[in-house]
Every structure is written in structure tokens, then in C-alpha cells.
Amino acid sequence: WARRSTRPVLSDRTGLSDRRGMQADVIVTVDWSAASRPKLGADSIWVYEWPAGTLTNLSTRAAAERVVLDTILAHERSRVLVGCDVSFGYPAGTAANAGLLGDHAAEPPWLAMWRHLAAEMADDGRNVNSRFEVAAALNRRFGKPRFWGAPHSAGSQWLPRTKPPIERELRGSAA
């Protein structure tokens, strides 16, 4: 970040800005949570809005989505930058290795992955969700675990509780 007056400006080093820099009038940061039940405090969802200086603790992802959307809509004539600590992408080849391209081979692989997750993932207003089932099903498609980190109650052959050993590929070897 570089600063100009009181507005944060993304420096030109990002490759995302024009020569003047991309200025944000409002910045919303979201510390997301994967909690499987409503929860406040530690391991819950926090939303901060700058320059208002408001910090909001929310107990559910549904409530956080509403707060972030309402904040964006409240500033519809401003430049709003939203930052979330969630994964928006996967390694190259993930959609193809999971067999998700199929009839949509012309669309970008990331869109095939997002379509799959949108169709398979359930997440209700009380934070009950199917993320472990979806991860296990993807691992079955891969033929080996690529996702891990399940709690004891959700761990299985297809969704280990801990990171599996790294497979070493021998490239250019006769072995």
C-alpha cells in the first residue's frame, strides 16, 4: 500500500491500477470463519469498515454476507474494496483432475470449479454446512486425498484429519 492524502491507494506494482493508482473510498475487511454453529468472539466472523471505523462481530456466515452486501450497497457511488481471508482459487489443473470440465470445456476451469461448489455445497443460516462431504467427494474424484483437515467426526479414507504424506514424483527418472 502507498498513501495519498487520506485514501489508501494500491501501488502500481500490483498491475491492477492505472497510472494514478486505484483509489478506494471504502475498505471492508472480513475475517471469515468455518464454524459449524453460530458463534461470537474468537473463531467467529469479524467485519471492519474503513473509514467508518466500525468493527462488527457476527455469529453466522449468512449474517456476514448480509452486512457485507449492505455495506457495498450503502456506498454504491463509491469505490469499495472488499478483502476476505478465504480461498478463491485452486491449483492449476484442479477442475480437470476432478473431471469437472465435461460439457463446459469452453468455459474457464475456475468457473467449472465454482459451478460445482455452488451446486454441491449446502450452508444454512445456522452455519450447518456440507463442506466435509463435498471435500471427500472431490477427493474420491481425484482418486487420492487432496483436501484434509476434517474433525474426528468427519474424517474418513477420503477426507483425512491430517495432511497426507507428500507424494514425490520422479521426473525424468527410469525408476
Side-chain angles (χ1 to χ4, degrees):
W1 288 91
R3 277 186 84 77
R4 265 190 221 151
S5 71
T6 59
R7 265 192 224 179
V9 178
L10 292 176
S11 73
D12 289 336
R13 290 177 293 136
T14 65
L16 300 174
S17 63
D18 59 21
R19 292 184 340 169
R20 295 170 293 139
M22 185 174 72
Q23 298 184 5
D25 300 310
V26 177
I27 298 175
V28 179
T29 56
V30 183
D31 181 15
W32 211 249
S33 169
S36 294
R37 61 181 175 78
K39 185 175 183 193
L40 290 172
D43 299 321
S44 63
I45 302 168
W46 295 85
V47 177
Y48 180 77
E49 179 188 342
W50 179 93
T54 56
L55 178 63
T56 308
N57 185 208
L58 300 146
S59 63
T60 66
R61 287 181 290 279
E65 287 176 30
R66 281 191 302 275
V67 166
V68 171
L69 181 58
D70 289 348
T71 302
I72 292 167
L73 293 174
H75 299 287
E76 67 181 71
R77 298 202 182 276
S78 301
R79 288 176 271 186
V80 180
L81 174 66
V82 179
C84 300
D85 71 344
V86 297
S87 175
F88 289 107
Y90 296 90
T94 300
N97 289 334
L100 301 179
L101 299 180
D103 296 334
H104 302 285
E107 73 182 9
W110 63 264
L111 185 54
M113 188 69 174
W114 281 21
R115 282 185 199 278
H116 176 76
L117 294 176
E120 299 298 320
M121 188 69 156
D123 192 5
D124 72 13
R126 305 279 305 152
N127 281 357
V128 175
N129 63 74
S130 62
R131 71 183 184 272
F132 299 122
E133 293 84 356
V134 172
L138 280 168
N139 283 341
R140 276 192 297 276
R141 284 173 164 266
F142 297 134
K144 56 186 134 190
R146 297 287 188 216
F147 299 104
W148 66 88
H152 184 71
S153 61
S156 70
Q157 168 191 353
W158 293 110
L159 189 62
R161 294 179 58 217
T162 59
K163 182 177 180 180
I166 297 173
E167 297 176 13
R168 303 269 181 212
E169 290 183 23
L170 299 175
R171 296 172 194 238
S173 167

